[in-house]
Amino acid sequence: MKASKWLVVGVVALAIAAFVALDLGRFLSLDALRQSQAALAQYYAENPWTLRAAFFGVYVAVASLSLPGAAILTLAGGGVFGLGWGLLLVSFASSIGATLSFLTARFVLRDVVQARFGARLADINAGVARDGALYLFSLRLIPVVPFFVINLLMGLTTMRTRTFYWVSQLGMLAGTAVYVNAGTRLAELQSLKDVASPQLLGAFVLLGVFPLIAKALMNFIQQRKVYARWNTVRPKTFDRNLVVIGGGAGGLVSAYIAAAVKAKVTLVEAHKMGGDCLNYGCVPSKALIKSAKLAHQMQHAERYGLHSASRISGEGQSLFSFKTVMQRIHEVIAAIEPHDSVERYTGLGVEVLQGYAKIINPWTVEIALNGGGTQTLTTRSIVIAAGARPFVPPLPGLDAVGYVTSDTLWDEFAKLDEVPKRLVVLGGGPIGCELAQSFARLGSAVTQVEMAPRIMAREDMEVSELAAASLRADGVDLLTSHKALRCELVDGEKVLVVEHAGVEKRIAFDQLLCAVGRTARLTGYGLEDLGIPTHKTVHTNEYLQTIYPNIFAAGDVAGPYQFTHVAAHQAWYAAVNALFGDFKKFKADYSVIPWATFIDPEVARVGLNEQDAKDQGIAYEVTKYGIDDLDRAIADSEAHGFVKVLTVPGKDKILGVTIVGTHAGDLLAEYVLAMKHGLGLNKILGTIHTYPTLAEANKYAAGEWKRAHQPHKLLEWVRKFHDWKRG
C-alpha cells in the first residue's frame, strides 16, 4: 500500500482512537442530549451561525468516520434548530460525511479489492454501472441497513462519486426528516425505539422495496410497449412452444433441450445439419490437421529412430495423394453426420424443417421450405442460432483472381489433383494459422499475410512468438505488419499486392485463402422489420433475450465468443429461459471459457492471460513449467512448450492458464474443471497423475507454485529439529 494510503488509514485510526479514549460517545446519548438541550438552545439564540457551523462540522466528522451517534445528532438537529434548519443541516452533513466515507474506502481499499477479485467483481461492476443508482436509492430508504456499511461497500465499486452523492442526498431525506421531526419533541422521547418503531421501520422497508417494484413495473411497461404494435396479431394459442432457427451447435442443443423436457419444438435449418463446425470448421480442419501432422512425422521419421518416408519411397516421389486426403476429410464429416442428422433429432422428438426461416412477428415464423412452398408456425418463444460466415475483405481485384474461404475450400480443393503449389493465406488468427501450417506440411509454398504486428494477437507475446517460430519452421513465409492492398491478374498470373513499411510487395499465388475472421449471419431473418438491434451480433441481455423477451439468440450470432462449445453453452440458457423464464431465468455464465488453437504445438487457454490481466488491472503471480522437462514429452519427441498459470498473489486460486504443447487442448480440461469448481493448485498437486503421461505437466506446474511459496521460516525450524534429533 502506498504511503499516502497509509497516511489516510493512520488519520482515520487516530481519530477513532481519540473518540474512544476520550469517551466522546458519552455526549452522543439521548440522556446527554436532553440534559444539554436548554444550554444549547440558549447558545443558539445568542450565536446561531457559530452553532450551526460547529454542528455541521461535527456531524460530517461522525458520518465520515462511521462513528456511533449519528441518530442522536439527527435528533439534536431537530431539538436545537427546529425542523427547517435541522433538516437542512443534517441532510447535507450526512450526505457529505457519507461521501467522504465512500471516498476513503475507495482510496484505501478499492484498488486492492478490484485487483484481487476483479474477475469475480466484473458482473457486479457492470450491474452498478447499469442499475447502481436504483439499488443505492432503495438501500438508503431502508434504515435497517447500516448506512456506514453502504458507504464502505459502494466505495469498493465503480460507482461515480457524483452519483453516490446525489442519490444519498435524495434517498436519506425521508429518514432524516422523520428523525429531525422527532427531535423537535425531544422531551417526549424515552429511547430511540420511540422514533424507529417496528411499524415505521416496516413502512421504510416497503418504501425501499418500492423502487425495485417500480423497476419491475417499468420493465413490464417497456415489454408492453415493445409488443404494442403486434397486439392485434398475437395468437390466442400457439402451434409450438419453441422454434429454433439454425441447425448448428447452438440450435441443436436448444432443440434437444426443448424435446427432452417434452416441449413441442421445431428446428429450421436452411442448408446442412451440424452447421459450420461439422461441415466447414472444426471437424474438417481437424481432419486436415491430423493428415498434415502425420505427413510431417513421416518426413521427419529420423526423430523417432526410423527412416523417413522420402528415403523409403525415393526422392521426388509424393508421400501421399492430396485428392485422397481431401476424400478422407469428407469421409470424416460423413461419419460424424449421423450425430447431427435430421433422423436423429426427429427420433429425439424434434420436428426438423429444411428451409429458410423469417420471423414475421414476435410469435410467428414463416419458413420457405427447400422443397417448395411455405409453412407458417406460431410459437411462444424463438431462439435465433444462425451462426456466422467468413468475412471477405473488400480487396480490389479479389473477385477477378478468385479465392476460397474456410467454408468453401473443402469442396473447391477436393477438385484438385495436387496440393496448391503456391498458397496465400490472409489472416493471422487461429483459423489462418491452423490452415497455413497444415498446407505447408502437405507441400504447399505458403505465404501468410497478417496486417497486425503479430499473429494470434489475443495470446501473450511469448505465445505469439512461439507460434510464429513453429509456422516458419514448417516452411510458412509469415509476413506480419503487411497490409493487403489489392489483387491483380497479370498475364494469367495471380498476384497479391501488400504494403510493408511504406513499400509495396508483390506475391504470386495459385490459390488465395481468406481467413480474416467471421461475421454473424444477421440478415434475412426479419430482425430489421422487428426492430431488433444488431451490430456485428444480435443485441441481447444477460439472459440472451432480445428486446422481445420471448425471442432469444445463442451462438456466433449472439457473441461474444465464436466457439462451438460456447454456442452449446449459451443454448442451454436460451432454451431454459425460453421455456421456463416465467418462473426462473438464468444469466449466461462466461466466467470459465476455454479455447484452443490446433497448430503444432497446440495453444490452449482458459481465463486470464498476462496481457488480459494487465489490461484489466488485475494483480497476479505467474508460475511456469517447461514441458521440455516432462518425461513423456521427451519420450514422444514432443518436448517443447510450457504450462503457465496465473494465480492470485500469495494464494493458489487460479485466474487463468495457458498451455503450449502437444495435446494442450486436452490437458487444459483439468484446469477448466478446477476453475469452475473453485479448486486451487494445492488440490491439483495432491491429485495422483498417471506416470508417464502428459497430464503430469499440470501437477508439476502446481509443484512449481508450491515450491515458490514454501514456508521458509517454518522449514528452518524443521531443519533445526532434525539437527537436534541427530544429536
Side-chain angles (χ1 to χ4, degrees):
M1 191 181 291
K2 295 181 179 179
S4 57
K5 294 184 179 181
W6 281 116
L7 178 61
V8 172
V9 171
V11 170
V12 172
L14 185 62
I16 295 174
F19 179 85
V20 174
L22 298 175
D23 192 22
L24 298 179
R26 69 183 187 275
F27 297 111
L28 299 177
S29 68
L30 197 57
D31 288 339
L33 178 58
R34 272 200 298 262
Q35 292 172 10
S36 59
Q37 184 181 14
L40 289 171
Q42 182 178 348
Y43 187 85
Y44 179 55
E46 298 171 356
N47 305 280
W49 286 105
T50 301
L51 189 58
R52 289 168 186 161
F55 175 83
F56 190 88
V58 170
Y59 202 116
V60 169
V62 169
S64 63
L65 294 172
S66 302
L67 298 174
I72 298 298
L73 283 175
T74 305
L75 293 174
V80 175
F81 304 110
L83 180 60
W85 272 106
L87 182 59
L88 181 67
L89 293 170
V90 172
S91 178
F92 281 95
S94 61
S95 298
I96 292 172
T99 304
L100 290 174
S101 178
F102 165 89
L103 291 173
T104 300
R106 169 161 295 182
F107 180 70
V108 175
L109 296 174
R110 189 180 70 170
D111 290 347
V112 175
V113 171
Q114 291 288 341
R116 179 155 295 188
F117 304 106
R120 186 176 295 178
L121 293 174
D123 288 342
I124 295 176
N125 289 332
V128 167
R130 185 177 60 251
D131 296 318
L134 174 67
Y135 287 106
L136 175 59
F137 185 68
S138 297
L139 290 172
R140 288 302 193 200
L141 286 171
I142 305 175
V144 295
V145 181
F147 283 4
F148 78 92
V149 173
I150 299 172
N151 301 338
L152 296 178
L153 291 180
M154 287 295 172
L156 303 180
T157 72
T158 55
M159 177 175 284
R160 298 172 63 182
T161 304
R162 182 173 61 185
T163 300
F164 177 86
Y165 174 79
W166 74 258
V167 172
S168 297
Q169 182 83 53
L170 191 61
M172 292 191 292
L173 188 60
T176 300
V178 169
Y179 272 76
V180 171
N181 183 60
T184 61
R185 48 185 183 86
L186 189 61
E188 303 172 17
L189 298 178
Q190 299 302 314
S191 72
L192 291 178
K193 292 181 180 180
D194 294 340
V195 180
S197 65
Q199 293 82 0
L200 181 64
L201 289 177
F204 272 114
V205 169
L206 290 176
L207 191 61
V209 173
F210 176 75
L212 304 180
I213 297 174
K215 183 189 177 186
L217 182 62
M218 288 299 297
N219 288 337
F220 176 75
I221 293 172
Q222 285 179 338
Q223 291 180 17
R224 291 290 298 270
K225 185 177 181 180
V226 167
Y227 286 120
R229 59 185 283 213
W230 307 106
N231 283 340
T232 58
V233 296
R234 180 185 174 95
K236 294 182 179 180
T237 61
F238 299 89
D239 301 322
R240 302 289 183 269
N241 298 104
L242 184 65
V243 169
V244 180
I245 301 174
L252 291 173
V253 172
S254 294
Y256 175 86
I257 291 171
V261 297
K262 307 306 178 184
K264 196 167 185 180
V265 55
T266 294
L267 172 66
V268 185
E269 169 54 47
H271 192 32
K272 294 182 179 181
M273 291 285 284
D276 299 329
C277 184
L278 170 62
N279 298 290
Y280 317 115
C282 315
V283 170
S285 65
K286 302 314 165 282
L288 174 70
I289 288 169
K290 178 64 177 180
S291 295
K293 183 170 185 176
L294 184 56
H296 181 265
Q297 290 173 334
M298 292 166 63
Q299 292 165 343
H300 298 86
E302 291 87 353
R303 298 177 182 176
Y304 308 96
L306 307 172
H307 293 308
S308 68
S310 59
R311 179 175 172 184
I312 295 172
S313 62
E315 295 294 339
Q317 296 186 24
S318 176
L319 300 177
F320 61 90
S321 163
F322 181 66
K323 186 172 285 291
T324 304
V325 169
M326 297 304 295
Q327 180 182 339
R328 172 186 171 271
I329 291 172
H330 285 281
E331 289 172 353
V332 169
I333 295 172
I336 296 176
E337 273 179 343
H339 301 170
D340 301 338
S341 65
V342 172
E343 293 76 15
R344 179 178 182 231
Y345 275 80
T346 299
L348 291 170
V350 178
E351 179 190 42
V352 180
L353 297 178
Q354 297 205 279
Y356 292 84
K358 182 176 181 179
I359 304 173
I360 304 303
N361 62 54
W363 310 279
T364 306
V365 178
E366 184 180 87
I367 303 138
L369 300 172
N370 289 349
T374 61
Q375 184 171 347
T376 301
L377 296 174
T378 58
T379 178
R380 283 195 169 274
S381 297
I382 300 168
V383 172
I384 306 166
R389 61 168 61 91
F391 173 73
V392 178
L395 280 180
L398 183 61
D399 290 332
V401 299
Y403 63 92
V404 295
T405 67
S406 56
D407 279 11
T408 62
L409 79 87
W410 312 109
D411 288 333
E412 293 300 317
F413 281 14
K415 301 173 185 176
L416 303 177
D417 293 325
E418 296 181 346
V419 66
K421 288 185 171 55
R422 298 173 299 177
L423 175 66
V424 168
V425 177
L426 287 182
I431 295 174
C433 290
E434 289 178 359
L435 296 176
Q437 185 181 49
S438 294
F439 281 107
R441 286 181 162 189
L442 291 174
S444 289
V446 178
T447 302
Q448 187 175 5
V449 179
E450 169 55 49
M451 184 167 59
R454 60 188 179 101
I455 60 172
M456 296 174 61
R458 294 180 65 181
E459 307 298 338
D460 285 337
M461 178 66 76
E462 62 180 326
V463 176
S464 293
E465 291 174 348
L466 196 153
S470 179
L471 293 179
R472 290 187 171 113
D474 283 327
V476 176
D477 184 12
L478 181 57
L479 305 178
T480 55
S481 298
H482 282 66
K483 181 180 179 180
L485 298 179
R486 62 187 180 275
C487 294
E488 297 177 352
L489 194 59
V490 181
D491 297 329
E493 184 170 64
K494 302 173 182 179
V495 176
L496 173 69
V497 181
V498 298
E499 179 189 33
H500 175 66
V503 178
E504 290 190 1
K505 179 179 180 180
R506 302 171 67 83
I507 304 169
F509 64 88
D510 299 307
Q511 295 283 350
L512 186 147
L513 168 60
C514 290
V516 293
R518 298 178 68 82
T519 180
R521 294 186 176 97
L522 302 175
T523 58
Y525 303 102
L527 305 181
E528 306 90 344
D529 296 337
L530 270 69
I532 295 176
T534 58
H535 176 66
K536 295 186 177 179
T537 58
V538 176
H539 290 197
T540 63
N541 62 13
E542 60 267 40
Y543 304 107
L544 297 174
Q545 294 170 300
T546 65
I547 59 171
Y548 296 95
N550 72 312
I551 301 179
F552 297 77
D556 291 356
V557 77
Y561 302 95
Q562 290 188 339
F563 304 130
T564 298
H565 47 280
V566 174
H569 178 70
Q570 288 179 320
W572 184 92
Y573 291 94
V576 171
N577 288 339
L579 296 169
F580 303 106
D582 291 339
F583 306 101
K584 170 68 176 176
K585 290 189 295 187
F586 298 87
K587 294 181 180 179
D589 178 14
Y590 303 113
S591 59
V592 183
I593 300 293
W595 66 80
T597 301
F598 295 91
I599 58 173
D600 187 9
E602 291 179 10
V603 177
R605 176 153 75 92
V606 62
L608 299 174
N609 61 8
E610 287 195 77
Q611 71 177 20
D612 287 342
K614 290 174 182 176
D615 290 344
Q616 297 175 32
I618 297 174
Y620 64 92
E621 287 183 5
V622 175
T623 299
K624 193 172 180 181
Y625 171 74
I627 293 177
D628 59 320
D629 196 42
L630 184 66
D631 292 359
R632 179 57 185 268
I634 295 171
D636 290 350
S637 293
E638 298 282 6
H640 44 255
F642 55 82
V643 178
K644 181 165 67 170
V645 185
L646 272 61
T647 52
V648 173
K651 297 186 178 181
D652 73 334
K653 178 178 172 60
I654 303 168
L655 296 174
V657 180
T658 298
I659 303 179
V660 179
T662 185
H663 295 292
D666 298 316
L667 297 179
L668 189 71
E670 185 170 16
Y671 287 111
V672 176
L673 180 71
M675 291 180 66
K676 179 65 177 178
H677 298 285
L679 305 177
L681 291 178
N682 280 314
K683 295 294 186 182
I684 292 177
L685 183 61
T687 301
I688 298 174
H689 291 67
T690 307
Y691 178 87
T693 61
L694 296 171
E696 286 186 295
N698 294 338
K699 180 174 182 176
Y700 292 144
E704 291 293 321
W705 178 88
K706 192 71 172 180
R707 189 175 298 110
H709 293 80
Q710 289 179 340
H712 296 290
K713 291 184 179 179
L714 176 61
L715 290 176
E716 181 61 25
W717 281 103
V718 172
R719 184 189 66 78
K720 292 179 180 180
F721 168 75
H722 289 305
D723 290 345
W724 171 77
K725 286 197 71 174
R726 291 201 316 271

